[in-house]
Amino acid sequence: KALSKMVKMNVLNDCLRSILNAEKAGKRQVILRPISKVVVKFLRVMQKHGYINEFEIIDDKRSGKIVVELNGRLNKVGVISPRFDLKIKNFEKFVYQILPSRQFGYIILTTNQGIMDHREARRKHIGGKMLGYFY
């Protein structure tokens, strides 16, 4: 008998979804598992902009866990799948489509210089692939 096991297709999506659900439920903290390097870097960008408080990575000798402290500032967070290429000349168009206003919210890109938000990428004048967004 073959045991079929459900495979996590998108670790980042699962983590962001549980952050959003915990935020909507008014929780103060949330445990994310499994985790990946991309998730950690995504959370670092969110933390830098003050959308989450500190988070702690717990190495359980498996795929790891992260305990994230929430602060109630997050309205929506999600992944953009598939990871579309985003050229500098198309920034404005995509920012208008995804974010509710120009004043707040960030699109996260993975570039050849690491994972960063769209404003930093524009300053450095580099494009990349879209990972997700938050506001």
Side-chain angles (χ1 to χ4, degrees), residues 47-81:
Q47 187 182 32
K48 189 175 85 179
H49 294 297
Y51 281 83
I52 57 173
N53 293 341
E54 55 273 346
F55 59 91
E56 185 184 358
I57 300 164
I58 300 163
D59 182 22
D60 58 0
K61 300 287 186 276
R62 291 188 197 85
S63 58
K65 290 183 182 136
I66 299 181
V67 178
V68 181
E69 303 286 331
L70 302 173
N71 59 10
R73 261 194 74 190
L74 201 60
N75 297 316
K76 188 137 169 58
V77 61
V79 294
I80 297 165
S81 179

Side-chain angles (χ1 to χ4, degrees), residues 3-129:
L3 279 159
S4 67
K5 188 175 167 221
M6 204 171 112
V7 182
K8 293 261 178 160
M9 291 305 285
N10 194 336
V11 174
L12 180 65
N13 195 12
D14 288 349
C15 289
L16 297 185
R17 192 64 54 220
S18 27
I19 289 175
L20 189 60
N21 290 340
E23 187 78 70
K24 281 180 176 168
K27 301 268 194 290
R28 299 309 301 157
Q29 58 181 197
V30 59
I31 297 174
L32 308 176
R33 52 167 292 273
I35 61 170
S36 66
K37 290 188 288 189
V38 174
V39 171
V40 174
K41 288 178 178 147
F42 199 100
L43 289 175
R44 286 218 176 97
V45 177
M46 286 174 70
Q47 187 182 32
K48 189 175 85 179
H49 294 297
Y51 281 83
I52 57 173
N53 293 341
E54 55 273 346
F55 59 91
E56 185 184 358
I57 300 164
I58 300 163
D59 182 22
D60 58 0
K61 300 287 186 276
R62 291 188 197 85
S63 58
K65 290 183 182 136
I66 299 181
V67 178
V68 181
E69 303 286 331
L70 302 173
N71 59 10
R73 261 194 74 190
L74 201 60
N75 297 316
K76 188 137 169 58
V77 61
V79 294
I80 297 165
S81 179
R83 294 178 175 174
F84 290 115
D85 282 325
L86 189 55
K87 296 187 175 74
I88 296 170
K89 63 175 190 286
N90 298 343
F91 266 29
E92 282 301 311
K93 193 174 83 180
F94 271 102
V95 169
Y96 273 124
Q97 280 178 356
I98 295 164
L99 301 177
S101 100
R102 290 184 61 180
Q103 279 78 37
F104 68 103
Y106 297 92
I107 295 176
I108 306 297
L109 304 168
T110 172
T111 67
N112 56 9
Q113 295 178 21
I115 292 175
M116 59 184 75
D117 62 78
H118 69 279
R119 293 183 185 159
E120 189 183 342
R122 183 184 281 142
R123 272 198 307 276
K124 292 183 174 176
H125 207 74
I126 47 176
K129 291 189 183 307

